[in-house]
Amino acid sequence: RRALTRMFSFQPGALREADALLAQAHEIEGNGIYTAWRSLARTIQLIELLEPDREALIDEIQELNYSALSEAPNNALVLALLSQVRIMALGDAAGGVDLAERSVERNASSGFGWLSLSVSRMLAGEPSQAMALSLRAREIARYSPFRHWWDLYHCIVCVACDKPNLAIEAGEAAARAAPHFRPAHRHLIALYAMDGQYDRALTSAQRLQKIEPGFTL
């Protein structure tokens, strides 16, 4: 639980700590779930530009992804996490759809499974399906301590569906649940500005400047 809490903070040092904790857990138990979580942690580092060697990071993400699939090919959570990684880091929408569908087939009550299926459908050019799937995922995960993860992706899906007001609502929910969650503030800046809410856009930018060193408009 500590590793996940650290990972979903999106803070550079916390992500490195999470990766180390997950690696230690894998050494003890040899469970592929830890490898899958490491793959996602590394993906967050890639997207957030937190590590200097991007190519090496992509290679490691891919290796972790394939290792986890080999270690736990039938674990629903592993399949869901690897689907998100395939989509976000490797640009493999078709592979993401396949893994997400397999995840949901094995565990229809997993918020991670429905989230991964939603994101994969969005990138496959099916935003309306992605919206319905995201709503389902978000409902399942409504009591999760990491619900800002689902709120963020619902915000992104709403953007893809050209529903900026709903995107703002989801982005605000993510920011409320995790005030230091940088991606939520980034999306809100653009969404507020697009909606003419310039005061709110500026406030979000000022918040982001405090939690993301080097950020400027």
Side-chain angles (χ1 to χ4, degrees):
R1 173 67 178 269
R2 176 177 172 79
L4 301 189
T5 299
R6 302 297 284 163
M7 183 176 72
F8 282 113
S9 74
F10 273 48
Q11 298 303 309
L15 278 160
R16 296 188 190 102
E17 180 185 349
D19 182 64
L21 289 170
L22 291 165
Q24 291 172 13
H26 184 266
E27 288 179 5
I28 296 170
E29 297 184 23
N31 193 328
I33 187 63
Y34 300 118
T35 309
W37 280 119
R38 286 192 68 201
S39 184
L40 182 60
R42 290 302 202 187
T43 296
I44 293 171
Q45 289 176 317
L46 177 74
I47 293 172
E48 293 292 302
L49 306 176
L50 299 178
E51 299 296 330
D53 192 338
R54 181 179 177 84
E55 294 304 319
L57 194 54
I58 291 174
D59 289 342
E60 184 179 5
I61 289 168
Q62 188 163 327
E63 182 178 344
L64 290 168
N65 194 280
Y66 292 144
S67 294
L69 191 58
S70 174
E71 293 168 350
N74 297 311
N75 183 292
L77 180 56
V78 168
L79 294 171
L81 296 175
L82 298 184
S83 171
Q84 292 182 47
V85 171
R86 292 279 178 95
I87 293 164
M88 293 189 293
L90 306 179
D92 182 8
V97 169
D98 176 64
L99 291 172
E101 288 179 341
R102 289 164 57 189
S103 174
V104 170
E105 286 173 2
R106 284 164 174 75
N107 184 4
S109 63
S110 169
F112 279 104
W114 292 108
L115 172 63
S116 62
L117 189 56
S118 170
V119 176
S120 62
R121 289 299 184 194
M122 179 183 70
L123 291 187
E126 302 170 357
S128 59
Q129 286 191 33
M131 174 68 82
L133 293 165
S134 180
L135 287 169
R136 184 168 187 172
R138 203 176 176 207
E139 175 64 20
I140 292 172
R142 66 190 183 280
Y143 298 122
S144 168
F146 313 116
R147 61 187 178 276
H148 52 284
W149 185 249
W150 283 265
D151 291 334
L152 171 68
Y153 274 100
H154 192 66
C155 173
I156 296 171
V157 169
C158 288
V159 170
C161 292
D162 194 25
K163 297 184 181 297
N165 291 336
L166 294 179
I168 287 173
E169 290 178 6
E172 289 176 341
R176 282 195 304 271
H180 290 85
F181 190 42
R182 297 183 292 180
H185 295 293
R186 293 195 203 109
H187 283 79
L188 285 173
I189 291 169
L191 287 163
Y192 284 145
M194 185 176 69
D195 196 47
Q197 300 185 53
Y198 300 117
D199 289 345
R200 288 190 172 185
L202 182 58
T203 298
S204 291
Q206 291 169 342
R207 288 174 180 166
L208 191 54
Q209 285 174 332
K210 293 179 180 179
I211 58 179
E212 184 172 327
F215 169 80
T216 68
L217 287 174

